[in-house]
């Protein structure tokens, strides 16, 4: 296929037949496939191809079946690309950042998000692109974070509950429930599956210190690769172990690489949590020293002031992070000046991306 813009791409006949959008192949209402791969020919041929307006009309043999493929649909699903990149990179829709990023550019107003779908679309787009966004002007009431999550999706309940309190406790079950500073980290890497989003909502913040910190884990991974490709490869190749024992009834363990890379070289996830890292046993003896060297350097880059963005939450403010990408932490705080009370929860990213996709489609229809 060649488009007016000069773009050219190839499509296999089997791929086209499997992805046909006709009513006999896919349900018109929900788009789900109605036939199995075994129910279509193993080696279909395109007997005829005709351009009919904005679509390609193809006749397949041996079925003798004619199917229309919209030109813009084909363009959105091109897979005829260069086989691999020279260096691992995030997806094209992702923009990495460091300390130069101004959090004001990814900040929305709660009241506007509730009232205007355009503002909600913009804010959710920040989460998809940067893995992080802030919100101001929210209700000053417990569990208000659930109202934020309900704007786009659903909350996952864990052993911490549907939401959890983040403030100092006596005999805390987690170091997050103390006044200690926390190194930037991804939450709960000991779960399977790991939570994909986290919201932290501020209800009180008169304590001394306690500023929030976010770091783009994809940017850290890019810097590590630029400095030490072999070290990057070790963190991507071998599984780290993570573990949490919060009480007699809770013992969570999971294994995953600290940096996850797809087969075509796309950085897809980062898991980094020094507090919850268990003895790592998936690394061969000969590679363990170099693995620890890369692990140490990753942590140094996480703590590099040039990588992190800090801000102080006010009551009614919150922020959301893509927990498979953006690390969050905080400065130590003291209750000498007052209390610090946050609440947190774990929505799922699929709900956010689904809502964003619907909002973007509606905007396109309105513009057309």
């Amino acid at each position: 296929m060649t488009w007016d813009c000069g773009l050219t791409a190839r499509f296999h006949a089997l791929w086209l037949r499997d992805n046909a959008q006709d009513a006999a192949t896919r349900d018109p209402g929900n788009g789900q496939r109605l036939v199995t791969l075994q129910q279509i020919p193993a080696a279909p041929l395109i007997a005829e191809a005709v351009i009919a307006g904005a679509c390609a009309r193809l006749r397949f043999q041996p079925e003798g079946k004619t199917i229309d493929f919209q030109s813009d649909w084909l363009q959105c699903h091109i897979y005829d690309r260069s086989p691999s990149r020279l260096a691992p990179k995030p997806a094209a829709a992702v923009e990495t950042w460091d300390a130069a990023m101004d959090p004001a550019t990814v900040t929305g107003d709660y009241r506007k998000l509730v009232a205007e779908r355009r503002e909600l679309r913009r804010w959710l787009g920040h989460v998809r692109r940067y893995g992080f966004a802030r919100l101001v002007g929210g209700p000053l009431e417990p569990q208000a974070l659930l109202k934020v999550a309900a704007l786009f999706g659903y909350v996952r309940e864990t052993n911490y509950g549907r939401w959890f309190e983040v403030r100092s406790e006596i005999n805390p079950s987690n170091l997050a429930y103390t006044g200690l500073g926390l190194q930037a980290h991804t939450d709960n890497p000991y779960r399977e599956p790991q939570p994909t989003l986290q919201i932290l909502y501020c209800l009180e913040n008169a304590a001394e210190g306690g500023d929030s910190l976010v770091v783009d884990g994809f940017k850290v991974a890019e810097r590590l690769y630029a400095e030490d490709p072999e070290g990057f490869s070790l963190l991507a190749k071998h599984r780290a172990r993570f573990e949490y024992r919060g009480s007699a009834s809770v013992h969570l363990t999971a294994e995953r690489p600290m940096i996850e890379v797809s087969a075509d070289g796309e950085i897809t996830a980062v898991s980094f949590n020094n507090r919850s890292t268990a003895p790592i046993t998936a690394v061969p003896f000969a590679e363990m020293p170099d693995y620890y060297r890369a692990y140490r350097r990753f942590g140094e880059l996480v703590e590099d002031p040039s990588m992190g963005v800090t801000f102080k939450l006010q009551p009614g403010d919150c922020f959301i992070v893509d927990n498979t990408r953006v690390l969050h932490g905080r400065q130590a705080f003291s209750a000498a000046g007052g209390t610090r009370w946050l609440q947190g929860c774990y929505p799922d990213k699929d709900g956010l991306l689904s809502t964003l996709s619907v909002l973007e489609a509606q905007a396109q229809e309105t513009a057309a």
Side-chain angles (χ1 to χ4, degrees):
M1 292 285 294
T2 300
W3 285 264
D4 292 340
C5 63
L7 180 65
T8 298
R10 300 171 296 178
F11 299 89
H12 290 89
L14 178 59
W15 185 93
L16 289 163
R17 178 62 189 90
D18 181 45
N19 289 286
Q21 303 296 300
D22 65 295
T25 305
R26 286 185 179 269
D27 185 282
N30 57 40
Q32 292 187 311
R33 192 178 276 107
L34 299 172
V35 297
T36 67
L37 188 60
Q38 292 72 36
Q39 290 175 296
I40 64 176
L45 297 174
I46 298 174
E48 184 180 19
V50 178
I51 299 300
C55 71
R57 180 163 294 160
L58 308 181
R59 182 164 57 86
F60 291 87
Q61 294 291 15
E63 293 174 286
K65 185 178 181 68
T66 299
I67 302 172
D68 288 348
F69 292 83
Q70 295 297 317
S71 172
D72 57 355
W73 185 91
L74 288 170
Q75 192 173 99
C76 288
H77 294 85
I78 290 173
Y79 61 88
D80 182 24
R81 306 181 190 276
S82 300
S84 63
R85 303 182 178 96
L86 293 177
K89 292 286 184 183
V94 166
E95 183 176 336
T96 58
W97 46 269
D98 54 22
M101 197 263 277
D102 182 358
T105 62
V106 295
T107 299
D109 185 285
Y110 175 81
R111 290 154 295 193
K112 289 184 178 179
L113 264 65
V114 171
E116 302 177 35
R117 296 178 73 79
R118 176 183 61 185
E119 287 298 313
L120 178 60
R121 184 179 75 246
R122 184 181 68 85
W123 191 73
L124 297 180
H126 291 329
V127 182
R128 179 178 62 190
R129 187 166 191 82
Y130 302 105
F132 157 67
R134 290 195 314 172
L135 201 57
V136 299
L140 282 177
E141 59 188 50
Q143 303 171 37
L145 76 172
L146 300 181
K147 294 183 177 180
V148 176
L151 291 172
F152 60 81
Y154 308 92
V155 171
R156 184 196 305 185
E157 187 166 357
T158 71
N159 58 289
Y160 299 123
R162 192 156 177 251
W163 74 92
F164 48 90
E165 310 288 351
V166 184
R167 53 185 172 186
S168 294
E169 295 179 354
I170 299 174
N171 299 320
S173 61
N174 191 303
L175 290 179
Y177 307 151
T178 69
L180 296 174
L182 298 178
Q183 182 186 43
H185 59 280
T186 55
D187 250 37
N188 292 199
Y190 41 75
R191 293 191 190 278
E192 199 61 76
Q194 184 176 1
T196 49
L197 293 175
Q198 180 172 12
I199 295 174
L200 285 168
Y201 196 103
C202 178
L203 293 169
E204 298 176 9
N205 201 4
E208 297 177 3
D211 287 12
S212 298
L213 165 70
V214 288
V215 177
D216 187 351
F218 284 3
K219 186 69 172 182
V220 173
E222 288 182 318
R223 277 194 60 181
L224 180 64
Y225 183 87
E227 292 182 10
D228 183 7
E230 292 76 15
F232 177 101
S233 178
L234 287 171
L235 295 187
K237 180 172 65 171
H238 297 301
R239 289 171 290 115
R241 289 184 64 238
F242 301 95
E243 184 174 28
Y244 173 72
R245 295 175 183 264
S247 64
S249 61
V250 178
H251 182 199
L252 298 165
T253 61
E255 293 188 75
R256 53 174 48 89
M258 291 191 188
I259 303 172
E260 296 183 46
V261 181
S262 68
D264 59 353
E266 183 178 296
I267 301 173
T268 57
V270 165
S271 298
F272 182 83
N273 190 318
N274 182 70
R275 288 175 294 137
S276 301
T277 303
I280 297 169
T281 57
V283 181
F285 183 89
E287 294 181 320
M288 189 65 83
D290 288 335
Y291 181 91
Y292 262 90
R293 173 179 51 79
Y295 178 17
R296 176 185 294 272
R297 183 55 182 157
F298 193 96
E300 290 172 347
L301 291 171
V302 167
E303 295 186 347
D304 187 332
S306 70
M307 299 298 290
V309 172
T310 59
F311 50 92
K312 191 174 184 69
L313 292 171
Q314 301 300 321
D317 293 355
C318 72
F319 70 95
I320 183 171
V321 291
D322 179 340
N323 192 53
T324 67
R325 169 187 172 184
V326 172
L327 294 68
H328 69 281
R330 69 160 184 247
Q331 298 174 351
F333 66 92
S334 168
T339 58
R340 183 182 190 271
W341 177 22
L342 274 63
Q343 291 184 325
C345 68
Y346 298 120
D348 282 318
K349 189 163 61 174
D350 59 350
L352 184 148
L353 296 177
S354 172
T355 299
L356 179 56
S357 179
V358 169
L359 292 172
E360 289 177 336
Q362 291 173 345
Q364 291 175 355
E365 291 174 2
T366 301

